[in-house]
């Protein structure tokens, strides 16, 4: 297939609600000798896309937000952190992938996935798509999965330890519940009544409905508390952490980042590191059926604004997927 010079992409040129998104005709990204051009078949609207579009940052990051992301609107106007699709073209030095290969690419903070085509270095965060995964599921593999794996590693979560996951139905939370229960941790999940059965099916041993029960006040304690939705804080969770406990402030603000330690209890925060080896492992687990990325809903490419509205509501289960094209 000839490589087109123009493509359709959703752009965000000023911060605001989903209405600021525009479907534009833009140049196809030029690829270097070690890069691939991927024809995007599916992508997701992640909580990161929604945050960047709205300039909605965790508490304490407001003043540096525009400096980091762009003054009036995102410096990188095409959002989208993860895609699945087919390799359309490969630079002359590319040896790991060939034209036509089905792939999953994690574009991370560079974004650019809400478009018909996306460029990525062949040594970047890109893996072959497991044959048994749909392109929609493949596009949902990384955002939650990579974050959960990195935070599990930072926490040193061990088999037999007791883990509390707050926000267990979300993209990060649902990955945490699945991966931690598979490695032999005892998982308590915090979610709302409508998501209890889903979260149990992912492997949670106990489920707490956050509308009915205050998990901190119940007298129970955990080795690791992973808060994926900033519904708690390190300080408030101290009584619920066991000796040597770790509090994971995955969506928390600057305050949690600055605390670090209280006695023998640690607060771990900051951006998750996305690793190729973790992507490969998630792919292998998905291929064997051990790991299934949770999909909230699937939207058409023209319905990108609707997909953002679903994410903005803060109630999604797993990933909101956008189908960009048919295979
Ligand atoms: N540190 C990092 O590198 C990193 C990486 C990725 C994401 N993040 C951040 O992590 C956060 C979560 O991302 P995500 O994509 O997983 O979010 P998400 O999918 O949008 O989370 C939605 C889920 O949150 C749950 N929820 C909302 N309020 C809750 C509460 N009070 N208690 C328990 N659950 C609650 C909802 O479940 P119910 O309707 O059942 O309440 C819903 O299922 C975002 O803020 C994102 O920016 C950070």
């Amino acid at each position: 297939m000839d490589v087109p010079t123009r493509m359709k992409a959703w752009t965000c040129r000023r911060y605001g609600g989903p209405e600021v998104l525009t479907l534009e005709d833009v140049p196809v990204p030029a690829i270097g000798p070690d890069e691939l051009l991927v024809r995007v078949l599916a992508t997701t609207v992640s909580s990161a896309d929604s945050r960047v579009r709205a300039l909605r940052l965790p508490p304490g990051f407001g003043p540096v937000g525009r400096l980091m992301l762009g003054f009036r609107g995102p410096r990188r106007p095409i959002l989208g952190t993860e895609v699945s699709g087919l390799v359309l073209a490969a630079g002359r030095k590319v040896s790991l992938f060939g034209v036509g290969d089905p792939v999953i690419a994690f574009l991370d903070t560079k974004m650019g996935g809400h478009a018909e085509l996306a460029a990525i270095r062949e040594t970047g965060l890109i893996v072959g798509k497991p044959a048994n995964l749909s392109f929609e599921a493949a596009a949902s593999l990384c955002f939650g999965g990579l974050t959960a794996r990195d935070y599990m590693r930072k926490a040193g979560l061990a088999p037999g330890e007791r883990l509390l996951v707050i926000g267990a139905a979300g993209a990060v939370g649902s990955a945490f519940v699945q991966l931690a229960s598979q490695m032999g941790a005892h998982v308590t999940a915090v979610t709302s009544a409508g998501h209890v059965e889903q979260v149990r099916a992912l492997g949670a041993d106990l489920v707490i409905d956050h509308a009915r029960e205050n998990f901190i006040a119940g007298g129970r304690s955990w080795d690791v508390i992973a808060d994926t939705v900033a519904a708690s804080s390190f300080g408030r969770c101290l009584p619920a952490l066991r000796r040597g406990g770790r509090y994971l402030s995955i969506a928390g603000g600057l305050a949690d980042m600055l605390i670090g330690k209280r006695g023998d209890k640690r607060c771990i925060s900051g951006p998750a590191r996305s690793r190729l080896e973790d992507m490969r492992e998630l792919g292998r687990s998905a291929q064997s059926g051990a790991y299934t990325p949770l999909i909230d809903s699937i939207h058409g490419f023209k319905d990108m604004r609707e997909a953002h509205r679903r994410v903005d509501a803060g109630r999604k289960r797993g990933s909101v997927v956008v189908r960009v094209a048919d295979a």
Side-chain angles (χ1 to χ4, degrees), residues 45-51 56 58 106 108 143-144 146-148 150-151 154 165-175 189-196 199 208-211 215 227-232 249-252 269-274 296 310-320:
V45 177
S46 67
S47 50
D49 296 318
S50 155
R51 277 187 182 283
R56 190 181 347 96
F106 191 61
D108 211 350
F143 184 83
L146 292 179
T147 306
D150 190 57
Y151 265 93
K154 283 177 181 162
V165 180
I166 307 169
V172 178
S174 61
V190 180
T191 192
S192 62
H195 294 156
V196 167
V199 167
I208 295 174
D209 172 357
H210 58 75
F215 53 88
D227 188 347
T228 72
V229 286
S232 67
S249 177
I250 298 170
S269 60
R273 192 169 150 212
S274 309
D296 176 87
R310 176 66 186 144
V311 181
D312 285 4
R315 300 259 83 95
K316 71 181 171 70
R317 297 179 184 203
S319 297
V320 166

Side-chain angles (χ1 to χ4, degrees), residues 230-294:
S232 67
S233 69
F234 182 40
R236 274 192 286 140
C237 284
L238 280 171
L241 275 175
R242 294 179 164 189
R243 287 183 64 182
R246 290 86 79 202
Y247 176 80
L248 312 182
S249 177
I250 298 170
L254 195 57
D256 273 344
M257 245 174 151
L258 297 175
I259 295 173
K261 235 177 156 197
R262 286 271 175 82
D264 66 351
K265 297 171 185 175
R266 277 190 298 142
C267 177
I268 300 168
S269 60
R273 192 169 150 212
S274 309
R275 298 173 189 229
L276 184 59
E277 191 38 48
D278 283 343
M279 245 179 113
R280 290 196 176 123
E281 186 50 42
L282 287 169
R284 282 191 287 268
S285 300
Q287 178 127 35
S288 73
Y291 178 68
T292 308
L294 191 60

Side-chain angles (χ1 to χ4, degrees), residues 5-168:
T5 55
R6 314 278 304 171
M7 66 174 186
K8 294 272 184 239
W10 282 93
T11 58
C12 174
R13 303 217 178 258
R14 64 187 167 89
Y15 297 117
E19 70 284 354
V20 302
L21 300 168
T22 316
L23 187 59
E24 284 187 42
D25 191 48
V26 299
V28 166
I31 55 165
D34 61 346
E35 285 185 314
L36 300 160
L37 192 61
V38 176
R39 186 162 83 86
V40 179
L41 298 183
T43 182
T44 64
V45 177
S46 67
S47 50
D49 296 318
S50 155
R51 277 187 182 283
V52 172
R53 189 213 68 231
L55 193 66
R56 190 181 347 96
L57 302 179
F61 289 100
V64 292
R66 286 177 196 270
L67 217 59
M68 287 183 334
L69 297 172
F71 188 66
R72 296 171 66 89
R75 218 167 273 126
R76 297 175 186 278
I78 305 175
L79 307 177
T81 59
E82 52 189 342
V83 301
S84 64
L86 300 170
V87 175
L88 182 73
R92 66 186 160 76
K93 290 191 180 163
V94 168
S95 60
L96 301 174
F97 297 92
V99 170
D101 284 358
V103 292
I104 304 173
F106 191 61
L107 307 169
D108 211 350
T109 51
K110 282 190 170 172
M111 298 193 159
H114 294 172
E116 290 176 319
L117 296 156
I120 183 159
R121 189 162 285 152
E122 71 158 342
T123 52
L125 294 165
I126 178 165
V127 296
K129 181 184 83 66
N132 60 330
L133 273 198
S134 66
F135 282 97
E136 289 81 8
S140 315
L141 188 74
C142 290
F143 184 83
L146 292 179
T147 306
R149 280 188 66 90
D150 190 57
Y151 265 93
M152 281 165 64
R153 182 186 301 111
K154 283 177 181 162
L157 183 68
E161 283 198 308
R162 295 181 77 85
L163 165 74
L164 179 76
V165 180
I166 307 169

Side-chain angles (χ1 to χ4, degrees), residues 301-318:
F301 193 47
K302 66 174 178 29
D303 300 322
M304 183 65 78
R305 294 191 190 113
E306 202 45 49
H308 271 255
R309 274 184 206 107
R310 176 66 186 144
V311 181
D312 285 4
R315 300 259 83 95
K316 71 181 171 70
R317 297 179 184 203

Side-chain angles (χ1 to χ4, degrees), residues 198-219:
Q198 176 77 71
V199 167
R200 226 190 280 280
L202 295 175
D205 298 283
L206 293 170
V207 184
I208 295 174
D209 172 357
H210 58 75
R212 295 166 65 110
E213 205 179 319
N214 178 346
F215 53 88
I216 303 172

